[in-house]
Amino acid sequence: MTSTAQPLLSVREVTMAFPGRRRGTAPVRAVDGISFDVAPGETLGLVGESGCGKSTTGRMIVRLLEPTTGSITYDGRDISHLSQRELKPLRRELQMVFQDPHSSLNPRQTVARIIADPLLVQGSSAADARKRAAELMDLVGLIPEHIDRYPHEFSGGQAQRIGIARSLATNPRLVVADEPVSALDVSVQAQIVNLMEQLQQELGLAYLFIAHDLSVVKRVCDRVAVMYLGRIVEIGDRERVYTSPAHPYTRALLSAVPLPDPAAERARERITLLGDPPSPAAPPPGCTFHPRCPKARAVCRTEAPLLRIAAAGERREVACHFPEAA
């Protein structure tokens, strides 16, 4: 659900620059000045090609990475540069679900310890933490009696349920889900997506849902932000973005999503982008998409477009000199 309430999360002009691989080389701007809000109880989808900065953005939100510039405000408080000691009480409210369910779980720990760890860090007793872990296993559809098993004894979908249970241990308000279903079979993906929606309704969670599968994003998200080479090029309500994309990159991404109707699939236009995305270590001048854009003109090669309202009365913004008409 969308909301006009005060944002739970507010990201403003955030950048993340990593040092170059060799001494003296330019830094790599993995994220380059992005801004967005997430309202309480809302799901914002963050989509784009691999390497566009989606996961880096998610890790900055939960402060696994410290942004180079810009501000990240959670519940009215700037958390961009808080120390680890200052962040500790906030960790209860900001949690993350990782992409690979097995590699994100410690193979030497039992499920009981994996789920209870956040509670133990926050000061809960071992008995209370174990009891809570069993409750969470039941909540995410696992058998509580399996609490003393190890991660390798579970399937991929079950392991991801363990990861989700761990993220819920401290009763968070915002969960960053970094490609939570991309490593799973299609049938299991649907189960995990349904579980996340159910948990959102029951617990009032807000999600930042990072994915490259646009079909999944359409299913679960209220709003969608499209990233390209570290920047947001379009953001708005799901229905508007999917039915009438304004940015050429968004149109190209959506044209690659298979349609269930064979006749419609054959009849529609397939947009093929030329070349590979430029390196974030040496982005092109002007609009970073212009080397691959079928609509690029002279101004696109020299002037970077700003993210602005796509049309009067719309809750959608696009960074393009020549956006598609609604």
Side-chain angles (χ1 to χ4, degrees):
M1 65 178 179
T2 54
S3 172
T4 57
Q6 181 73 19
L8 179 64
L9 175 74
S10 184
V11 176
R12 290 292 177 268
E13 296 297 325
V14 164
T15 67
M16 184 69 220
F18 294 101
R21 291 186 176 181
R22 295 184 179 87
R23 182 176 298 178
T25 58
V28 177
R29 294 174 72 89
V31 176
D32 192 8
I34 64 171
S35 299
F36 61 85
D37 294 330
V38 180
E42 180 186 36
T43 301
L44 174 67
L46 195 58
V47 303
E49 294 171 294
S50 296
C52 70
K54 305 186 301 296
S55 293
T56 300
T57 299
R59 290 171 181 268
M60 285 192 293
I61 299 301
V62 297
R63 278 299 315 277
L64 293 178
L65 295 172
E66 183 173 347
T68 305
T69 61
S71 67
I72 299 172
T73 304
Y74 172 76
D75 198 20
R77 181 181 182 186
D78 189 343
I79 66 170
S80 312
H81 304 288
L82 295 183
S83 67
Q84 291 303 311
R85 182 180 60 81
E86 293 171 318
L87 281 169
K88 184 176 179 180
L90 286 174
R91 296 290 188 199
R92 287 182 171 273
E93 301 191 22
L94 290 166
Q95 291 293 322
M96 190 164 187
V97 177
F98 296 91
Q99 177 176 355
D100 188 333
H102 276 113
S103 67
S104 66
L105 304 177
N106 190 330
R108 294 186 175 89
Q109 291 184 346
T110 64
V111 173
R113 181 57 188 265
I114 289 171
I115 299 176
D117 252 351
L119 293 168
L120 296 173
V121 170
Q122 294 291 338
S124 295
S125 69
D128 288 344
R130 182 181 174 86
K131 180 181 177 182
R132 175 65 174 157
E135 293 172 351
L136 288 167
M137 287 189 70
D138 184 57
L139 181 65
V140 300
L142 295 173
I143 301 174
E145 286 74 18
H146 294 169
I147 196 169
D148 290 316
R149 292 187 176 184
Y150 289 84
H152 72 271
E153 300 179 74
F154 295 87
S155 67
Q158 290 173 325
Q160 192 61 292
R161 290 174 186 265
I162 296 170
I164 293 171
R166 175 178 59 185
S167 74
L168 300 178
T170 57
N171 296 315
R173 297 174 64 193
L174 174 67
V175 174
V176 175
D178 185 9
E179 306 255 14
V181 298
S182 64
L184 306 176
D185 294 338
V186 174
S187 59
V188 180
Q189 287 184 8
Q191 296 172 16
I192 297 300
V193 165
N194 290 339
L195 171 64
M196 294 184 68
E197 287 189 314
Q198 176 188 339
L199 292 171
Q200 183 176 41
Q201 293 171 2
E202 292 179 3
L203 306 176
L205 300 170
Y207 289 133
L208 177 64
F209 195 96
I210 299 169
H212 62 265
D213 188 332
L214 294 175
S215 298
V216 173
V217 170
K218 185 178 182 181
R219 169 75 172 79
V220 302
C221 297
D222 302 305
R223 292 187 303 126
V224 179
V226 182
M227 284 190 73
Y228 182 80
L229 208 65
R231 299 179 182 177
I232 291 178
V233 297
E234 185 167 358
I235 183 170
D237 291 339
R238 172 191 59 197
E239 292 303 323
R240 292 296 292 159
V241 171
Y242 275 78
T243 58
S244 59
H247 197 281
Y249 178 61
T250 309
R251 292 177 63 85
L253 288 180
L254 290 173
S255 77
V257 178
L259 297 177
D261 183 352
E265 176 69 23
R266 288 192 297 269
R268 72 169 176 169
E269 177 189 9
R270 177 70 169 90
I271 302 173
T272 302
L273 298 178
L274 301 176
D276 296 320
S279 169
C287 175
T288 54
F289 185 60
H290 85 257
R292 307 172 73 195
C293 182
K295 299 179 64 176
R297 303 181 192 177
V299 66
C300 303
R301 299 178 178 89
T302 59
E303 184 178 333
L306 300 176
L307 199 63
R308 61 181 186 273
I309 299 296
E314 279 208 34
R315 294 182 59 196
R316 177 172 53 157
E317 297 173 286
V318 59
C320 181
H321 292 299
F322 307 102
E324 296 287 336

